[in-house]
Amino acid sequence: MSRIPKVVLLIESSRSSGRALLGGIAEYSHHHGPWSFLWEPAGLEKAQPLLEAGDADGIILRDVENLERILAYNLPAVVVGHRQREIPGMVNVVTDS
């Protein structure tokens, strides 16, 4: 049996947009997975041990303040726009509110 990829989710759930994003990720995984998720709504500080251990295979996150610090782990990443329109050189999800 092959290893199930681990994806770190740095997405807050206090707003309906964050909850909808998490629901969409779960739905996509249901059809295209299996994947294992570590959801950390509290941010990078709580997820950092997993990232430092090299145990994650990818990350999906909002464009947070510490974006450069997160991207320094060189994990495949999907950035969901919130504060910026698009992050150059990254896979971006651009919303149209």
Side-chain angles (χ1 to χ4, degrees):
M1 183 174 183
S2 63
R3 186 174 148 320
I4 296 175
K6 294 179 184 174
V7 179
V8 176
L9 303 174
L10 295 179
I11 299 169
E12 53 81 26
S13 64
S14 62
R15 296 181 181 158
S16 63
S17 60
R19 291 187 299 272
L21 179 59
L22 290 167
I25 292 168
E27 179 74 17
Y28 186 87
S29 173
H30 176 75
H31 294 288
H32 301 283
W35 298 327
S36 173
F37 294 105
L38 170 68
W39 172 51
E40 189 46 72
L44 174 62
E45 288 71 31
K46 298 282 185 174
Q48 197 162 0
L50 179 68
L51 296 171
E52 288 177 355
D55 201 26
D57 297 298
I59 186 166
I60 301 173
L61 68 153
R62 299 295 292 260
D63 60 344
V64 294
E65 286 182 25
N66 297 325
L67 185 61
E68 294 80 21
R69 196 166 127 204
I70 295 168
L71 299 178
Y73 289 102
N74 294 319
L75 290 170
V78 175
V79 180
V80 179
H82 177 65
R83 298 179 322 150
Q84 302 178 41
R85 179 85 178 137
E86 191 172 330
I87 308 297
M90 299 301 306
V91 175
N92 291 268
V93 175
V94 180
T95 60
D96 182 9
S97 315

